[in-house]
């Protein structure tokens, strides 16, 4: 249950990379930072779900 809620919440957040707190973000480098930020958030999402699954077994 907790893993599902986390997965949904982080999935919604991952679709809004403009809301992430990037340092030194400019118009010219935003196109490079946004995909990297989404990749990191998706990795975090997967790690949270795996840890929740392992902790409840």
């Amino acid at each position: 249950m907790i893993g599902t809620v986390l997965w949904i919440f982080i999935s919604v957040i991952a679709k809004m990379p403009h809301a992430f707190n990037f340092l030194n973000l400019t118009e010219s480098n935003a196109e490079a930072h946004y995909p990297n930020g989404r990749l990191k958030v998706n990795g975090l999402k997967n790690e949270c779900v795996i840890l929740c699954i392992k902790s409840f077994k």
Side-chain angles (χ1 to χ4, degrees):
M1 180 71 181
I2 295 172
T4 305
V5 172
L6 279 174
W7 187 82
I8 292 170
F9 179 69
I10 296 175
S11 293
V12 170
I13 291 173
K15 294 183 182 193
M16 299 180 286
H18 58 277
F20 301 163
N21 189 16
F22 291 111
L23 297 176
N24 301 323
L25 186 67
T26 62
E27 291 290 329
S28 62
N29 65 5
E31 291 180 12
H33 280 287
Y34 285 173
N36 288 335
R38 290 187 68 180
L39 183 65
K40 289 180 183 179
V41 170
N42 282 327
L44 176 68
K45 175 177 65 173
N46 293 334
E47 290 176 13
C48 287
V49 170
I50 289 170
L51 288 174
C52 284
I53 290 171
K54 285 187 175 187
S55 67
F56 288 112
K57 280 191 172 183

